[in-house]
Amino acid sequence: MTIHVAGTSGRVLKADGGKQAMAGSPAVEPWPEPSGFLLDLVTDTHTDVDSLRRLAETAAVALTGSVGAQIDCAATLASAQRAPIRAANNGRAASLAAAEQDFDDGPLAQVVDSGIPVVVEADGGTFPRWQAYRCRFLDAGYGEVLAVPVRLEAGISCVLAFFAPPGVWFTPEVVGHATWFAGVAGKSLKLALDVRSVRAAGDNLKAVLESRTSIDVACGVIMGRNRCSYPDAFSMLASASTRRSMQVRDVAEGILKNMPRGAPATRFVD
């Protein structure tokens, strides 16, 4: 069953037979647009896992404040280019997220495909879906789960899974708050991923330039010693790297280190 949630411009799939979505439910106030808000997922983070962990910790704090009870959160980030990565605000939530990924029997895949938040309650009634998943989060001491999609660019998916203690429910107002937060999270996480991608590209370029410089200088040394051309000098380097099972750059740096003044420093002009 799906219900409309005020302020989210979307729906919520309820895995409870609709017990919390009866007609006449009070309307909730819409949350403001998230466009003016960003989370700092870059400062003092070195990997995507670091940023994802900070996101999960911040999300847990945000929903805890909205519900008035401790809410835990796990975040899962996936793309076609690499294996999924996960992070959570504590080990219990992290274990549940890992188990769902391993068994593929929870709501995350549906949230990614549909873009609609999903609530899985302790009492599924006659609703048979996700029973094994439900048993796992009940055994872990939780009473209800809310999965919310985080919108990123095409080919990359992220889902926030919120875990509530027994006796605490994800009401339409709370789902609205979580959806609003996911809007903030999407912009913030995309920025963090883009920044780290640019940094990685810069580091790779620097490594390529340093490697090229070492090879060129070593070829110059070989040319001077053997009175040969650059192609012949490079061929000597390549042959030495094959014989020694080493990279051409490593052979070149070995030659430079044996120079009277050592290897010259690589410099880049800004």
Side-chain angles (χ1 to χ4, degrees), residues 24-51:
S25 298
V28 297
E29 291 295 325
W31 289 89
E33 290 297 321
S35 56
F37 299 86
L38 280 175
L39 305 173
D40 182 3
L41 304 180
V42 177
T43 304
D44 296 329
T45 62
H46 304 289
T47 66
D48 291 345
V49 174
D50 293 337
S51 293

Side-chain angles (χ1 to χ4, degrees), residues 59-196:
V61 171
L63 261 289
T64 294
S66 176
V67 173
Q70 177 61 48
I71 302 297
D72 293 330
C73 179
T76 301
L77 179 69
S79 69
Q81 289 72 35
R82 64 181 182 183
I85 60 175
R86 295 175 295 273
N89 70 308
N90 62 27
R92 186 168 51 148
S95 296
L96 284 174
E100 179 176 2
Q101 191 71 44
D102 292 339
F103 292 108
D104 192 24
D105 61 353
L108 294 192
Q110 176 164 330
V111 169
V112 171
D113 292 339
S114 68
I116 300 173
V118 170
V119 175
V120 184
E121 294 194 336
D123 180 10
T126 58
F127 201 93
R129 195 170 191 184
W130 303 316
Q131 289 289 11
Y133 175 75
R134 181 178 286 108
C135 289
R136 284 200 303 276
F137 74 70
L138 289 174
D139 289 343
Y142 294 112
E144 188 161 296
V145 178
L146 166 63
V148 182
V150 176
R151 298 187 185 280
L152 297 170
E153 60 189 41
I156 304 178
S157 63
C158 182
V159 178
L160 297 177
F162 296 98
F163 303 94
V168 175
W169 299 278
F170 290 117
T171 64
E173 181 180 12
V174 175
V175 175
H177 188 186
T179 304
W180 173 87
F181 183 89
V184 177
K187 300 177 188 301
S188 305
L189 184 56
K190 184 178 185 305
L191 176 62
L193 296 177
D194 288 347
V195 168
R196 196 161 288 113

